[in-house]
Amino acid sequence: MTDSSTTPAGLRTGTWILDPAGSSVRLTHKTMWGAATVKGAFATVGGTGELAPDGSAHGTLTVEAASVGTGNSQRDTHLKSAEFFDAAAHPAIVFTAHRVIAGADGALTVDGELTVRGTTRPLALTGRADTAAPDAVVLTVEAVVDRADFGLTWNRLGMIKGPATISVTGRFTHAG
């Protein structure tokens, strides 16, 4: 049974479901020795969250590794291969939010863990609650991720430089 009370921010407590059509998970990464930026997105995303009466929240965001798309089919095939995401052996990339802290003016800090290729590491996201109504909320968060932390070390001729930036826009609706 879902609780129908609201938090101090006016959001309904209980279970929230990610709306895939209103959500996106995007990545950007420098390549060609830092001269070019590769941009991509994951087409298949899902998730749930739980909001308690005290305003505390936790949840899970899952992306299908094989749904990565950069606009270059050869690169996409390589990203899905064992040299990068290894989508056949590790089909899901999962972020588990253990704590969401809402600050002034919609600012958010989300503490959790990211699992890629079977490796889990702590990850903090910062962002905003862009739209909030009792039954729908849009959260926009961003994180910088070092792909080597997850075993993504392929780097022919040192072409890939620095960390990747992951940007998430998640529209959640109350499960009612």
Side-chain angles (χ1 to χ4, degrees), residues 15-53:
T15 302
W16 290 73
I17 306 294
L18 182 79
D19 170 13
S23 302
S24 66
V25 177
R26 301 187 181 283
L27 59 94
T28 57
H29 202 289
K30 294 285 186 184
T31 189
M32 302 297 288
W33 303 281
T37 300
V38 172
K39 296 179 181 181
F42 293 90
T44 306
V45 299
T48 61
E50 191 74 28
L51 183 60

Side-chain angles (χ1 to χ4, degrees), residues 65-130:
S67 74
V68 66
T70 64
N72 179 308
S73 62
Q74 187 175 4
R75 178 175 43 227
D76 295 347
T77 298
H78 191 218
L79 288 172
K80 296 170 193 177
S81 78
E83 290 180 336
F84 274 94
F85 292 124
D86 196 6
H90 303 282
I93 298 170
V94 179
F95 178 74
T96 303
H98 299 298
R99 184 174 66 162
V100 180
I101 302 166
D105 299 326
L108 294 174
T109 301
V110 183
D111 294 325
E113 297 176 326
L114 179 63
T115 302
V116 180
R117 289 180 52 122
T119 300
T120 302
R121 299 278 186 257
L123 183 65
L125 307 169
T126 58
R128 304 191 47 73
D130 292 325

